[in-house]
Amino acid sequence: MQTLAQTLTSQAVKDSLAQLLLSLADTSKAISSAVRHGALAGVLGATEQENVQGETQKKLDVITNDMLKDALKAEGNVRGLASEEEDYVVEVSPQGEYLVCFDPLDGSSNIDINSLVGTIFSVLPAPEGELNEQSFLQAGRQQVAAGYVLYGPSTMMALTTGQGTQFYTLDPESGEFLLTNDNVQITPDTAEFAINMSNQRFWEAPMQTYIADLLLGKIGPREQSFNMRWIAAMVGDVHRVLCRGGIFTYPTDNKNPAKPFKLRLMYEANPMAFLVEQAGGKASTGYETIMDIQPSEIHQRVAVILGSRNEVDMCLSYHGEDYSQEPNID
Ligand code: F6P
Ligand code: MN
């Protein structure tokens, strides 16, 4: 089986980018080890701090953020980084060619219940000149690489450099990421959806109707039964979609009118959209293709609907109709 380094060479990925990706892979091995030691290493539980988005930081959020920051600072090819756990962009190496946006530990509410978590990353080209937030505000279409590492029963990396989506599995014996799927393909059709149903009453009318039709099963307009899954870690839900198809959505809701979206564009939606598109799937907000959004701030949030191409199209067709009905408010 090919190693990650061998695959990047066979894809003729530029040396500087390959080095950066290998450094991210190495750091994820250390994160995997920290996650696996769990309570033994005293890394579970919360800190007393909140991140810029008002979420309580878990100890492992902070530890993994520091691990990635230190590795990217030592790396040499990174001009700057933006992280879910950093209020502002961080300047790294003046000569660096790339910007890295990351969610160091996605799904961190799963940590304390020993459930799925992962690291998500997106690599953009660094523009010339001074580094500031503006340097990062590039559409997802500009990404030169994106991926995640899932700390599950096995540690797996999903990666794209724009040449399809590949899966690598960490071999515990050799410590190498080995290529275990060189051409991930999302089935175009599916009978499985992923959504946090507890927010149902807060969704917009198109999503209410779409999900209601799925729930009607064989007696509804879709004339088939649908299954539901929700891992509460985007990384886990998207991995399932890449493995066996499905539609995953965290739609617009009016639970808190000041915060109509949950997932972050730069280090959650964009990298996942790149992986999904490269695997033959689609990713949209309901009204706009995720990777075509012009970001306005690094911690911007967006609605996300992604996965099996035909099912995403079906969901989008509901959004194209005239829904005059207001979402329910309780
Ligand atoms: O990072 C945000 C996140 O944890 C995602 O990984 C996940 O899909 C979502 O939030 C879960 O949200 P909720 O707790 O509302 O189910
Ligand atoms: Mn996250």
Coordinates of all heavy atoms in Angstrom, one line a residue, residues 186-194 206-207 210 214 222 226 241 245-250 272-273 276-277 280-290 303-320:
I186 N -19.0 9.3 -3.8 CA -20.3 9.4 -3.1 C -21.4 8.9 -4.0 O -21.5 9.4 -5.1 CB -20.6 10.8 -2.6 CG1 -19.5 11.4 -1.7 CG2 -22.0 10.8 -1.9 CD1 -19.7 12.8 -1.3
T187 N -22.2 7.9 -3.5 CA -23.3 7.4 -4.4 C -24.2 8.6 -4.7 O -24.5 9.4 -3.8 CB -24.1 6.3 -3.7 OG1 -24.5 6.9 -2.4 CG2 -23.2 5.1 -3.4
P188 N -24.6 8.7 -6.0 CA -25.5 9.9 -6.3 C -26.8 9.9 -5.6 O -27.4 10.9 -5.4 CB -25.6 9.8 -7.8 CG -25.1 8.5 -8.3 CD -24.3 7.9 -7.1
D189 N -27.3 8.7 -5.3 CA -28.6 8.6 -4.7 C -28.5 8.0 -3.3 O -27.5 7.3 -3.0 CB -29.6 7.7 -5.5 CG -29.8 8.3 -6.8 OD1 -30.5 9.3 -6.9 OD2 -29.4 7.7 -7.9
T190 N -29.4 8.2 -2.4 CA -29.3 7.8 -1.0 C -30.7 7.6 -0.4 O -31.6 8.2 -0.9 CB -28.4 8.7 -0.2 OG1 -28.3 8.2 1.1 CG2 -29.1 10.1 -0.1
A191 N -30.7 6.9 0.7 CA -32.0 6.8 1.5 C -31.6 7.1 2.9 O -32.2 6.5 3.8 CB -32.6 5.4 1.3
E192 N -30.6 8.0 3.1 CA -30.2 8.3 4.5 C -29.9 9.8 4.6 O -29.3 10.4 3.8 CB -28.9 7.5 4.8 CG -28.6 7.4 6.3 CD -27.6 6.3 6.5 OE1 -26.4 6.4 6.2 OE2 -27.9 5.3 7.1
F193 N -30.5 10.3 5.7 CA -30.2 11.8 6.0 C -29.7 12.0 7.4 O -29.9 11.2 8.3 CB -31.5 12.6 5.7 CG -32.7 12.3 6.7 CD1 -32.9 13.2 7.7 CD2 -33.5 11.3 6.5 CE1 -33.9 13.0 8.6 CE2 -34.6 11.0 7.4 CZ -34.8 11.9 8.4
A194 N -29.0 13.1 7.5 CA -28.5 13.5 8.8 C -28.8 15.0 9.1 O -28.4 15.9 8.4 CB -26.9 13.3 8.8
P206 N -38.8 25.7 3.5 CA -38.4 24.6 2.5 C -37.8 23.4 3.2 O -38.1 22.3 2.8 CB -37.3 25.4 1.7 CG -37.6 26.8 1.8 CD -38.2 27.0 3.2
M207 N -37.0 23.6 4.2 CA -36.3 22.5 4.9 C -37.4 21.7 5.7 O -37.4 20.5 5.7 CB -35.2 23.0 5.8 CG -34.3 21.9 6.4 SD -33.6 20.7 5.1 CE -32.2 21.7 4.6
Y210 N -39.2 19.6 3.1 CA -38.3 18.5 2.5 C -38.2 17.4 3.5 O -38.4 16.2 3.2 CB -36.9 19.1 2.2 CG -35.9 18.1 1.9 CD1 -35.9 17.3 0.8 CD2 -34.8 17.8 2.9 CE1 -35.0 16.3 0.6 CE2 -33.8 16.9 2.6 CZ -33.9 16.1 1.5 OH -33.0 15.1 1.3
L214 N -39.4 13.3 3.6 CA -38.6 12.1 3.8 C -39.2 11.3 4.9 O -39.2 10.0 4.8 CB -37.2 12.5 4.3 CG -36.3 13.4 3.4 CD1 -34.9 13.5 4.0 CD2 -36.2 12.8 2.0
R222 N -42.0 10.8 -1.9 CA -40.7 10.2 -2.3 C -40.9 8.7 -2.5 O -40.0 8.0 -3.1 CB -39.6 10.4 -1.2 CG -39.3 11.9 -1.0 CD -38.8 12.6 -2.2 NE -37.6 11.9 -2.7 CZ -36.3 12.2 -2.3 NH1 -36.1 13.1 -1.4 NH2 -35.3 11.5 -2.8
F226 N -36.7 6.4 4.4 CA -35.4 7.0 4.6 C -35.0 6.7 6.1 O -35.8 6.7 7.0 CB -35.4 8.5 4.4 CG -35.4 8.9 3.0 CD1 -36.6 8.9 2.2 CD2 -34.2 9.3 2.4 CE1 -36.6 9.2 0.9 CE2 -34.2 9.7 1.0 CZ -35.4 9.6 0.3
V241 N -21.0 10.0 4.9 CA -21.6 10.3 3.6 C -20.5 10.0 2.5 O -20.9 9.4 1.5 CB -21.9 11.8 3.6 CG1 -22.1 12.3 2.2 CG2 -23.1 12.1 4.4
G245 N -22.7 7.3 1.1 CA -23.7 8.3 0.5 C -24.5 8.8 1.7 O -24.4 8.4 2.8
G246 N -25.4 9.7 1.3 CA -26.3 10.3 2.3 C -26.4 11.8 2.1 O -25.7 12.4 1.2
I247 N -27.3 12.5 2.8 CA -27.4 13.9 2.8 C -27.2 14.4 4.2 O -27.8 13.8 5.1 CB -28.7 14.4 2.1 CG1 -28.7 16.0 2.1 CG2 -29.9 13.9 2.8 CD1 -29.7 16.6 1.2
F248 N -26.3 15.4 4.4 CA -26.0 15.9 5.7 C -26.4 17.4 5.7 O -26.0 18.1 4.7 CB -24.5 15.8 6.1 CG -24.1 16.7 7.2 CD1 -24.2 16.2 8.5 CD2 -23.6 17.9 7.0 CE1 -23.8 17.1 9.6 CE2 -23.2 18.8 8.0 CZ -23.3 18.4 9.3
T249 N -27.1 17.9 6.7 CA -27.4 19.3 6.6 C -27.4 19.9 8.1 O -27.9 19.2 9.0 CB -28.7 19.6 5.9 OG1 -29.0 21.0 6.1 CG2 -29.9 18.8 6.4
Y250 N -26.9 21.1 8.2 CA -27.1 21.9 9.3 C -27.7 23.2 8.7 O -27.0 24.1 8.3 CB -25.9 22.2 10.2 CG -26.3 22.3 11.6 CD1 -25.9 21.4 12.6 CD2 -27.1 23.4 12.1 CE1 -26.3 21.5 13.9 CE2 -27.6 23.5 13.4 CZ -27.1 22.5 14.3 OH -27.6 22.6 15.6
M272 N -14.9 20.6 3.8 CA -15.8 19.5 3.5 C -16.4 19.6 2.1 O -16.6 18.5 1.5 CB -16.9 19.4 4.6 CG -16.4 19.2 6.0 SD -15.3 17.7 6.0 CE -15.4 17.3 7.8
A273 N -16.8 20.8 1.7 CA -17.4 20.9 0.3 C -16.4 20.5 -0.7 O -16.7 19.9 -1.7 CB -17.8 22.4 0.1
V276 N -16.2 16.7 -0.7 CA -17.4 16.2 -1.3 C -17.5 16.4 -2.8 O -17.8 15.4 -3.5 CB -18.6 16.8 -0.5 CG1 -19.9 16.6 -1.3 CG2 -18.7 16.3 0.9
E277 N -17.2 17.6 -3.2 CA -17.3 17.8 -4.7 C -16.3 16.9 -5.4 O -16.6 16.4 -6.5 CB -16.9 19.3 -5.0 CG -18.1 20.2 -4.8 CD -18.0 21.5 -5.6 OE1 -17.1 21.7 -6.4 OE2 -18.7 22.4 -5.3
G280 N -17.6 13.6 -6.1 CA -18.8 13.5 -7.0 C -20.0 14.0 -6.3 O -21.1 13.9 -6.9
G281 N -19.9 14.6 -5.1 CA -21.1 15.0 -4.4 C -21.3 16.5 -4.6 O -20.6 17.2 -5.5
K282 N -22.3 17.1 -3.9 CA -22.6 18.6 -3.9 C -22.6 19.2 -2.6 O -23.0 18.5 -1.6 CB -23.9 18.8 -4.6 CG -23.9 18.7 -6.1 CD -25.2 19.1 -6.7 CE -25.3 20.6 -7.0 NZ -26.4 20.9 -8.0
A283 N -22.3 20.5 -2.5 CA -22.4 21.2 -1.2 C -23.0 22.6 -1.4 O -22.4 23.3 -2.2 CB -21.1 21.2 -0.5
S284 N -24.1 22.9 -0.7 CA -24.8 24.2 -1.0 C -25.3 24.7 0.4 O -25.4 24.0 1.4 CB -25.9 23.9 -1.9 OG -26.8 25.0 -2.0
T285 N -25.7 26.0 0.3 CA -26.4 26.6 1.5 C -27.9 26.4 1.4 O -28.6 26.7 2.3 CB -26.1 28.1 1.7 OG1 -26.7 28.7 0.5 CG2 -24.6 28.4 1.7
G286 N -28.3 26.0 0.2 CA -29.7 26.0 -0.1 C -30.0 27.0 -1.2 O -30.9 26.9 -2.0
Y287 N -29.1 28.0 -1.2 CA -29.3 29.1 -2.2 C -28.0 29.4 -3.0 O -28.1 30.1 -4.0 CB -29.8 30.4 -1.5 CG -31.0 30.1 -0.6 CD1 -30.9 29.9 0.8 CD2 -32.3 30.0 -1.2 CE1 -32.0 29.6 1.5 CE2 -33.4 29.8 -0.4 CZ -33.3 29.6 0.9 OH -34.4 29.3 1.7
E288 N -26.9 28.9 -2.5 CA -25.6 29.2 -3.1 C -24.6 28.1 -2.9 O -24.7 27.4 -1.9 CB -25.1 30.4 -2.2 CG -24.2 31.4 -3.0 CD -23.7 32.5 -2.1 OE1 -24.3 32.8 -1.0 OE2 -22.8 33.2 -2.5
T289 N -23.8 27.8 -3.9 CA -22.8 26.8 -3.8 C -21.8 27.2 -2.8 O -21.2 28.3 -2.8 CB -22.1 26.6 -5.2 OG1 -23.2 26.2 -6.1 CG2 -21.1 25.5 -5.2
I290 N -21.5 26.3 -1.8 CA -20.6 26.7 -0.7 C -19.3 27.2 -1.2 O -18.8 28.3 -0.7 CB -20.3 25.4 0.2 CG1 -21.6 24.9 0.9 CG2 -19.3 25.8 1.3 CD1 -22.0 25.4 2.2
A303 N -25.2 28.1 6.4 CA -26.0 26.9 6.3 C -25.3 25.9 5.4 O -24.6 26.3 4.4 CB -27.4 27.2 5.7
V304 N -25.5 24.6 5.7 CA -24.8 23.5 4.9 C -25.8 22.4 4.5 O -26.5 21.9 5.4 CB -23.6 23.0 5.7 CG1 -23.0 21.8 5.0 CG2 -22.5 24.0 6.0
I305 N -25.8 22.1 3.3 CA -26.5 20.9 2.8 C -25.5 20.2 1.8 O -25.2 20.8 0.8 CB -27.8 21.4 2.0 CG1 -28.7 22.3 2.8 CG2 -28.5 20.1 1.4 CD1 -29.8 22.9 2.0
L306 N -25.1 19.0 2.2 CA -24.1 18.4 1.3 C -24.3 16.9 1.2 O -25.0 16.3 2.1 CB -22.7 18.7 1.8 CG -22.2 18.2 3.2 CD1 -21.9 16.8 3.3 CD2 -20.9 19.0 3.6
G307 N -23.7 16.3 0.2 CA -23.7 14.8 0.1 C -24.1 14.3 -1.3 O -23.7 15.0 -2.3
S308 N -24.8 13.2 -1.3 CA -25.2 12.6 -2.6 C -25.8 13.6 -3.5 O -26.8 14.3 -3.2 CB -26.2 11.5 -2.3 OG -25.6 10.4 -1.6
R309 N -25.3 13.6 -4.7 CA -25.6 14.7 -5.7 C -27.2 14.8 -6.0 O -27.7 15.9 -5.9 CB -24.9 14.3 -7.0 CG -24.8 15.4 -8.0 CD -23.9 14.9 -9.1 NE -24.2 13.7 -9.8 CZ -23.4 12.6 -10.0 NH1 -22.2 12.6 -9.4 NH2 -23.8 11.6 -10.6
N310 N -27.8 13.7 -6.3 CA -29.2 13.8 -6.6 C -30.1 14.2 -5.5 O -31.1 14.9 -5.6 CB -29.7 12.5 -7.2 CG -29.0 12.2 -8.6 OD1 -28.4 13.1 -9.2 ND2 -29.0 10.9 -9.0
E311 N -29.7 13.7 -4.3 CA -30.5 14.1 -3.1 C -30.3 15.5 -2.7 O -31.3 16.2 -2.3 CB -30.1 13.1 -1.9 CG -31.1 13.2 -0.8 CD -32.5 12.8 -1.2 OE1 -32.8 12.0 -2.1 OE2 -33.5 13.5 -0.7
V312 N -29.1 16.1 -2.9 CA -28.9 17.5 -2.6 C -29.7 18.3 -3.6 O -30.4 19.3 -3.2 CB -27.4 17.9 -2.7 CG1 -27.2 19.4 -2.6 CG2 -26.6 17.2 -1.5
D313 N -29.7 17.9 -4.9 CA -30.5 18.6 -5.9 C -32.0 18.5 -5.5 O -32.7 19.5 -5.7 CB -30.3 17.9 -7.3 CG -29.0 18.4 -7.9 OD1 -28.5 19.5 -7.5 OD2 -28.6 17.7 -8.9
M314 N -32.4 17.4 -5.0 CA -33.8 17.3 -4.6 C -34.1 18.3 -3.5 O -35.1 19.0 -3.5 CB -34.1 15.9 -4.1 CG -35.5 15.6 -3.5 SD -36.8 15.9 -4.7 CE -36.7 14.4 -5.7
C315 N -33.2 18.4 -2.5 CA -33.4 19.3 -1.4 C -33.4 20.8 -1.9 O -34.2 21.6 -1.5 CB -32.3 19.1 -0.3 SG -32.5 20.1 1.1
L316 N -32.5 21.0 -2.8 CA -32.4 22.4 -3.4 C -33.7 22.7 -4.2 O -34.1 23.9 -4.2 CB -31.2 22.5 -4.3 CG -29.9 22.4 -3.6 CD1 -28.7 22.6 -4.6 CD2 -29.7 23.3 -2.4
S317 N -34.3 21.7 -4.8 CA -35.5 22.0 -5.6 C -36.6 22.6 -4.6 O -37.5 23.4 -5.0 CB -36.0 20.8 -6.3 OG -36.6 19.9 -5.5
Y318 N -36.7 22.1 -3.4 CA -37.6 22.7 -2.4 C -37.3 24.2 -2.1 O -38.2 25.0 -1.9 CB -37.6 21.9 -1.1 CG -38.2 20.6 -1.1 CD1 -37.7 19.5 -1.8 CD2 -39.4 20.3 -0.4 CE1 -38.3 18.3 -1.9 CE2 -40.0 19.1 -0.4 CZ -39.4 18.0 -1.1 OH -40.0 16.8 -1.2
H319 N -36.0 24.5 -2.1 CA -35.6 25.9 -1.8 C -35.9 26.8 -3.0 O -36.0 28.0 -2.8 CB -34.1 25.9 -1.5 CG -33.8 25.3 -0.1 ND1 -33.8 24.0 0.1 CD2 -33.6 25.9 1.1 CE1 -33.6 23.7 1.4 NE2 -33.4 24.9 2.0
G320 N -36.0 26.2 -4.2 CA -36.3 27.1 -5.4 C -37.8 27.4 -5.5 O -38.2 28.4 -6.2

